[in-house]
Amino acid sequence: MKPISIIVDCDPGIDDTIALLTAFVSPELDILGITPVCGNQPLDRTVRNALQVCELGGRAEIPVYAGCFRPMLREPIHGQFHGKTGLGNTVLPEPVKTVESMSAVDFLIEALSAAAAKGERITIACLGPLTNVAVALRMKPQIADGIERIVMMGGAYRESGNRTMTSEFNVLADPHAAHVVFSSGIPIVALALDATHQVMLKPEHVAEFSRVSGRISETLAELMAFWDRNDVRRYGSRGGPLHDPLVMAYILAPHLFETEKARVFVEYESELCMGQTIADWYGKSGLEPNADIVTKVDVEGVIAFFLERLSRYAEKAAA
Ligand SMILES: [Ca+2]
């Protein structure tokens, strides 16, 4: 089967690192580029982290294009659970690999226009604020013809928010960009907190990941241990929700997920509810659905999926 052409738009970030490491050992994917954006960390950090993760994963040949320095209109906000560098307490070697000179927005426009011209389509995995994709769409809306679909982590529908009472971090960080993307007509699969809060990465899972993952085992265990929120009141157990990696699981193993169609609206005016995502589940707006929202996750299946994928690092070392 022909591999899925994919661009990974991200803001690494611990969970983005796990997502990237999973994508790197998945031959079903042809990763055309990685486009870090300002999000969990300022842009210089997310770019450096992306370069380091490419080297850690043995995929230094994948080009990294630096994205937008800031959200479209709002002041930047950054993640609270990723430590000082964005990778917890993990210190990776300084990257030898360098960032491409072309910007992420130019790369998106070029790659998607080229795909559209050939009648091909590229999947975009969005693991951070949607600034890069929104700016590219504002500059050249025709790139939508080169997008197969956007599979994104972001939003909170029946769940309440994580960064504020109403809002999830990736959408809150750039609600205007999210509005542009949800208004674009591009097919969207949304993995919101409704999905990610179902998948808790618990200390016993971390031990298991560390056992199977060969040469990246130490780094992975350190990263994942940093993820333990210890917020039992909210999540019902120790550990932390496995947010952004679920995008890769969805693309590679969609049978582990159930979705419902809805029209999604993004609040970008109210300070109280800034970044809230609202789903019209029952056709109240009179508008057609614009997203498939993941409502149910096969949790054991997803954990087993990631264990199998990341165990490939052990095989790679042995090969
Ligand atoms: Ca992220």
Side-chain angles (χ1 to χ4, degrees):
M1 218 174 76
K2 197 168 177 277
I4 301 166
S5 298
I6 187 171
I7 294 170
V8 186
D9 190 61
C10 57
D11 61 341
I14 292 175
D15 49 348
D16 294 35
T17 298
I18 297 167
L20 285 167
L21 290 170
T22 304
F24 291 164
V25 286
S26 298
E28 303 96 320
L29 303 179
D30 177 15
I31 307 170
L32 306 178
I34 297 171
T35 53
V37 68
C38 167
N40 263 315
Q41 298 287 312
L43 184 68
D44 59 339
R45 287 266 174 75
T46 59
V47 169
R48 191 197 57 189
N49 291 345
L51 295 169
Q52 287 172 318
V53 173
C54 285
E55 289 184 356
L56 173 69
R59 295 298 301 272
E61 85 285 3
I62 299 172
V64 174
Y65 303 90
C68 296
F69 284 88
R70 297 175 48 96
M72 293 179 92
L73 291 175
R74 306 258 305 161
E75 287 298 314
I77 56 168
H78 301 302
Q80 296 167 317
F81 301 103
H82 299 260
K84 246 200 325 215
T85 62
L87 297 180
N89 297 326
T90 307
V91 180
L92 293 173
E94 277 305 308
V96 177
K97 176 180 172 54
T98 53
V99 69
E100 303 298 314
S101 56
M102 185 188 273
S103 80
V105 172
D106 288 329
F107 166 68
L108 284 165
I109 291 173
E110 194 178 280
L112 295 168
S113 302
K118 285 188 283 185
E120 294 173 0
R121 287 172 190 264
I122 296 168
T123 296
I124 307 186
C126 290
L127 314 178
L130 293 163
T131 321
N132 290 339
V133 178
V135 171
L137 281 168
R138 278 294 190 247
M139 288 179 69
K140 195 171 181 195
Q142 301 88 329
I143 60 172
D145 296 337
I147 299 176
E148 172 71 23
R149 62 181 176 177
I150 290 171
V151 184
M152 62 170 284
M153 191 277 137
Y157 297 96
R158 292 173 173 125
E159 279 284 299
S160 51
N162 60 357
R163 184 58 178 254
T164 66
M165 294 175 284
T166 59
S167 305
E168 176 280 329
F169 176 85
N170 285 343
V171 175
L172 176 67
D174 197 341
H176 300 91
H179 170 71
V180 169
V181 170
F182 275 103
S183 309
S184 66
I186 297 164
I188 296 172
V189 177
L191 289 129
L193 299 185
D194 307 56
T196 67
H197 283 179
Q198 295 177 37
V199 187
M200 291 296 291
L201 188 69
K202 297 177 188 170
E204 58 266 34
H205 296 137
V206 174
E208 188 76 348
F209 276 102
S210 165
R211 194 177 58 76
V212 301
S213 56
R215 65 179 183 79
I216 65 161
S217 149
E218 223 172 288
T219 310
L220 198 62
E222 237 177 54
L223 286 170
M224 287 180 163
F226 200 84
W227 203 237
D228 191 348
R229 294 288 193 282
N230 229 339
D231 190 352
V232 177
R233 193 169 77 90
R234 168 138 205 190
Y235 298 117
S237 74
R238 280 275 307 277
L242 198 62
H243 294 295
D244 303 24
L246 283 196
V247 166
M248 293 307 166
Y250 183 89
I251 292 169
L252 294 161
H255 61 279
L256 299 173
F257 300 84
E258 287 175 25
T259 60
E260 275 180 56
K261 286 190 183 301
R263 183 79 188 190
V264 170
F265 301 88
V266 180
E267 175 59 61
Y268 56 85
E269 288 178 330
S270 150
E271 273 304 320
L272 177 64
C273 302
M274 182 63 73
Q276 183 173 14
T277 46
I278 297 121
D280 179 10
W281 301 104
Y282 306 113
K284 301 289 181 200
S285 65
L287 297 172
E288 288 296 308
N290 59 356
D292 291 296
I293 301 173
V294 173
T295 49
K296 198 162 180 345
V297 185
D298 173 349
V299 177
E300 278 178 26
V302 161
I303 296 283
F305 165 83
F306 282 110
L307 278 169
E308 190 283 316
R309 292 284 158 156
L310 293 168
S311 73
R312 296 180 186 186
Y313 284 95
E315 293 158 23
K316 261 177 104 173

